[in-house]
């Protein structure tokens, strides 16, 4: 390589890396603006203003949940979890003492119903709502048969539906716009967007000759808050914040101004993946990714943070730096997956051998220069660390808002679910470090718990609380 070309590479690298890095000043600015936006979004909903993306991108959705589990709840509950790559039907045996056992029946919805007209499987815009909901009913029926229950018996099933939905009660939820590149029904006269997903599921249960009806609908963040609460509330500070860092990104939290603003639940689903105040800190990669997405101009925080998008940002960053050095595969959109990128993020070899292997397998690119491998590694680390940092900053705002970050009140437990957080120790470290840096000694009052399968069990926990708390 000529020295001129090498200089160009170094310049590109410095510029792209710089656009991904965060300073404490940026962090403070984000916290201030985000807190004001959260407050305003709750007030707008309270005053009866419908959601308007241009006025305030936070949806502040009433969860209709105003209960905190004690850990003593008991019973057997069915729940369905739709929101990421997998559709899951779960049967949760809630045993009290914070203990529960789960039987799960799972399937990958991206692989189901794939054809030339429906390349995205069940998420495709050409798949009508009835096909999606019949699949969910069938999966639930199979689980009931597996655990030797009668599917025609009358019972309530809880539904974790991990998309922005407006609720009028605990047992309904009207989907706004799909997120995470879901598009089911969009191109058909049998849509999901704009419809009550509980009604769609009840109709599918009837078609499948099942006796169940939807008894509770919850966002996965609300479910995570509830299930972490069930497991930890009796021993630790009450769980008041539920975070998902997986395919998607979002936070639900207990907010003391909810009642004053006319919310029925004290737990609000903020849909903070849609927060657009991050735009002022975005890089060229973020803008390009958003431009080519199916939901342009929305979910801007989610597009910088969640697992669905991280590898694509990494690919774009690599491309911007290495340009014509990249192989054709590296120029192909979505050719890099987040689990592969996560391997690079965790690369602790001196010679970057994991990074080299990942470039070869993802892009058929044999990078032999150690210096170039180091650049790729650093770019990927910057993308993941930026995600953990912004997510932690937004979490800090919600933790602060609970007003429990005070010794006399015992602090706050935060439940986190999602593979991005659960599967990446380095990511968790950056998340915690951000809390420590911003909160100083008050960080000790934030107890983070991993809510493994919180979204699956969560809606069942709401049913369990309804059972005992009435
Ligand atoms: C959805 C949220 C959900 C989050 C995590 C986002 O795309 O809009 O409702 O909580 O993903 O699954």
């Amino acid at each position: 390589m000529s020295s001129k070309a090498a200089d160009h590479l170094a310049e590109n690298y410095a510029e792209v890396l710089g656009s991904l890095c965060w300073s404490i000043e940026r962090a403070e600015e984000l916290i201030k603006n985000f807190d004001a936006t959260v407050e305003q979004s709750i007030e707008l909903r309270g005053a009866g203003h419908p959601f308007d993306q241009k006025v305030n991108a936070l949806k502040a959705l009433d969860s209709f949940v105003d209960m905190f589990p004690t850990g003593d709840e008991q019973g057997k509950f069915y729940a369905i979890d739709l929101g990421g790559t997998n559709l899951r039907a779960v049967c949760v045996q809630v045993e009290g003492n914070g203990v529960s056992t789960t039987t799960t029946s799972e399937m990958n919805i991206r692989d189901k119903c794939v054809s030339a007209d429906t390349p995205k499987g069940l998420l495709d815009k050409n798949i009508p709502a009835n096909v999606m909901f019949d699949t969910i009913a069938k999966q639930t029926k199979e689980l009931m048969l597996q655990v030797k229950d009668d599917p025609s018996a009358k019972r309530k099933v809880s539904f974790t539906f991990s998309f922005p939905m407006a609720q009028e009660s605990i047992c309904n939820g009207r989907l706004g716009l799909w997120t995470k590149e879901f598009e089911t029904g969009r191109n058909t006269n049998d849509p999901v967007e704009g419809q009550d997903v509980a009604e769609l599921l009840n109709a599918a249960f009837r078609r499948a000759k099942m006796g169940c009806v939807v008894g509770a609908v919850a966002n996965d963040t609300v479910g995570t808050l509830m299930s972490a609460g069930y497991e930890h509330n009796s021993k630790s500070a009450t769980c008041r914040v539920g975070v998902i860092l997986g395919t998607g990104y979002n936070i639900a939290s207990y907010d003391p101004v909810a009642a004053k603003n006319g919310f029925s639940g004290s737990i609000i689903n903020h849909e903070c993946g849609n927060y657009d105040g991050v735009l002022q800190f975005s890089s060229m990669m973020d803008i390009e990714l958003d431009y080519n997405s199916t939901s342009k101009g929305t979910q801007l925080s989610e597009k910088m943070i969640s697992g669905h998008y991280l590898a694509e940002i990494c690919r774009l960053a690599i491309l911007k730096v290495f340009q014509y050095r990249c192989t054709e595969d590296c120029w192909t959109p979505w050719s890099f997956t987040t689990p592969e990128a996560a391997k690079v993020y965790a690369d602790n070899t001196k010679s970057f051998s994991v990074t080299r292997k990942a470039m070869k397998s993802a892009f058929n690119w044999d990078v032999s220069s150690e210096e170039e491998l180091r650049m790729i590694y650093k770019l990927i680390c910057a993308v993941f660390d930026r995600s953990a940092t912004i997510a932690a900053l937004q979490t800090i705002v919600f933790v602060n808002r609970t007003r429990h970050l005070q010794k006399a009140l015992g602090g706050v437990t935060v439940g986190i679910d999602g593979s991005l957080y659960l599967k990446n120790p380095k990511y968790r470290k950056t998340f915690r470090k951000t809390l420590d840096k911003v909160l100083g000694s008050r960080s000790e009052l934030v107890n983070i718990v991993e809510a493994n399968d919180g979204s699956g069990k969560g809606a069942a926990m709401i049913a369990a609380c309804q059972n005992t708390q009435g």
Side-chain angles (χ1 to χ4, degrees):
M1 193 194 310
S2 75
S3 74
K4 207 164 164 206
D7 279 356
H8 202 44
L9 180 66
E11 267 168 36
N12 293 346
Y13 171 67
E15 191 184 328
V16 173
L17 190 68
S19 72
L20 291 166
C21 291
W22 273 66
S23 61
I24 188 76
E25 291 77 28
R26 260 189 187 192
E28 279 164 2
E29 195 175 345
L30 183 128
I31 288 183
K32 193 172 102 240
N33 296 343
F34 185 64
D35 187 35
T37 311
V38 172
E39 180 82 19
Q40 191 205 32
S41 68
I42 299 172
E43 284 170 5
L44 283 170
R45 281 315 82 69
H49 292 283
F51 168 71
D52 181 346
Q53 177 85 25
K54 287 192 218 87
V55 176
N56 186 316
L58 291 177
K59 297 189 173 122
L61 299 169
D62 194 340
S63 69
F64 286 79
V65 176
D66 198 15
M67 316 168 260
F68 289 100
T70 60
D72 293 334
E73 292 75 11
Q74 289 189 344
K76 177 176 167 184
F77 305 93
Y78 279 96
I80 292 154
D81 178 18
L82 177 71
T85 312
N86 293 318
L87 160 69
R88 286 183 302 168
V90 294
C91 176
V92 191
Q93 191 70 50
V94 182
E95 290 167 14
N97 252 334
V99 176
S100 63
T101 48
T102 309
T103 313
T104 306
S105 154
E106 196 164 356
M107 70 169 239
N108 184 318
I109 42 175
R110 288 171 203 264
D111 294 347
K112 185 93 186 165
C113 301
V114 177
S115 72
D117 280 346
T118 56
K120 281 169 71 174
L122 270 186
L123 321 188
D124 204 280
K125 55 181 183 293
N126 288 324
I127 291 281
N130 75 82
V131 172
M132 172 178 253
F133 284 83
D134 283 346
T135 310
I136 302 175
K138 188 165 166 246
Q139 191 79 10
T140 315
K141 195 175 194 175
E142 277 168 17
L143 174 70
M144 287 173 177
L145 292 171
Q146 185 189 328
V147 299
K148 310 225 170 337
D149 266 338
D150 174 8
S152 66
K154 283 201 164 52
R155 63 165 70 79
K156 286 185 176 163
V157 169
S158 304
F159 190 14
T160 305
F161 185 70
S162 310
F163 298 95
M165 55 173 170
Q167 296 189 251
E168 282 149 13
S169 74
I170 187 77
C171 56
N172 88 314
R174 195 167 297 281
L175 172 64
L177 288 182
W178 283 120
T179 56
K180 298 175 273 202
E181 310 293 300
F182 274 58
E183 292 187 283
T184 313
R186 237 178 222 179
N187 220 12
T188 73
N189 57 9
D190 188 10
V192 188
E193 284 163 315
Q195 296 297 348
D196 179 347
V197 294
E199 271 182 16
L200 288 171
L201 190 51
N202 283 337
F205 284 148
R206 283 196 299 274
R207 286 195 292 276
K209 313 239 171 321
M210 297 167 72
C212 41
V213 290
V214 175
V217 186
N219 186 257
D220 52 355
T221 50
V222 178
T224 294
L225 193 159
M226 294 299 280
S227 92
Y230 171 72
E231 283 169 17
H232 299 273
N233 280 357
S234 65
K235 312 178 270 298
S236 323
T238 307
C239 184
R240 292 173 193 272
V241 180
V243 182
I244 299 284
L245 282 161
T247 308
Y249 161 68
N250 188 16
I251 302 181
S253 70
Y254 160 85
D255 204 293
V257 304
K260 185 177 98 186
N261 283 285
F263 284 62
S264 295
S266 56
I267 295 164
I268 298 178
N269 166 15
H270 300 279
E271 287 294 329
C272 56
N274 196 36
Y275 177 62
D276 57 5
V278 287
L279 192 61
Q280 70 179 112
F281 308 118
S282 58
S283 67
M284 269 315 289
M285 291 78 76
D286 300 307
I287 291 163
E288 189 170 336
L289 179 141
D290 179 48
Y291 188 82
N292 292 320
S293 72
T294 57
S295 53
K296 208 181 296 172
T298 68
Q299 299 297 109
L300 297 184
S301 286
E302 179 165 77
K303 285 169 182 161
M304 284 185 178
I305 294 174
S306 85
H308 186 71
Y309 302 99
L310 280 194
E312 182 63 1
I313 300 177
C314 293
R315 185 189 70 80
L316 290 168
I318 294 169
L319 207 55
K320 297 244 164 331
V321 173
F322 290 90
Q323 302 177 354
Y324 290 112
R325 287 176 180 79
C326 293
T327 56
E328 205 176 319
D329 289 354
C330 190
W331 286 87
T332 310
W334 302 100
S335 54
F336 200 26
T337 66
T338 297
E340 268 175 323
K343 282 189 197 150
V344 175
Y345 182 48
D347 186 357
N348 56 10
T349 61
K350 273 211 182 81
S351 56
F352 302 104
S353 59
V354 175
T355 306
R356 185 171 183 178
K357 225 163 134 189
M359 292 303 102
K360 180 82 187 123
S361 96
F363 304 135
N364 197 19
W365 183 17
D366 193 10
V367 186
S368 55
S369 144
E370 206 167 298
E371 185 49 21
E372 292 185 9
L373 285 168
R374 195 181 65 87
M375 288 179 178
I376 294 170
Y377 165 77
K378 289 264 182 187
L379 287 168
I380 292 178
C381 290
V383 171
F384 276 73
D385 284 336
R386 182 184 70 157
S387 154
T389 305
I390 306 176
L393 294 173
Q394 296 190 351
T395 303
I396 288 171
V397 167
F398 293 118
V399 165
N400 264 329
R401 291 182 62 83
T402 67
R403 303 198 191 131
H404 278 254
L405 209 59
Q406 179 182 335
K407 213 163 196 164
L409 293 169
V412 176
T413 292
V414 175
I416 311 188
D417 192 13
S419 50
L420 181 60
Y421 185 85
L422 299 182
K423 290 194 181 154
N424 295 296
K426 202 166 149 190
Y427 188 93
R428 295 201 291 276
K429 232 174 161 175
T430 305
F431 190 96
R432 183 81 237 186
K433 253 173 53 196
T434 308
L435 255 61
D436 294 347
K437 210 161 161 185
V438 174
L439 292 171
S441 61
R442 288 195 313 148
S443 182
E444 281 169 20
L445 296 168
V446 184
N447 171 35
I448 299 184
V449 296
E450 294 177 17
N452 234 318
D453 194 23
S455 44
K457 288 184 289 196
M461 287 307 163
I462 295 174
C465 287
Q466 280 173 328
N467 234 15
T468 50
Q469 296 175 24

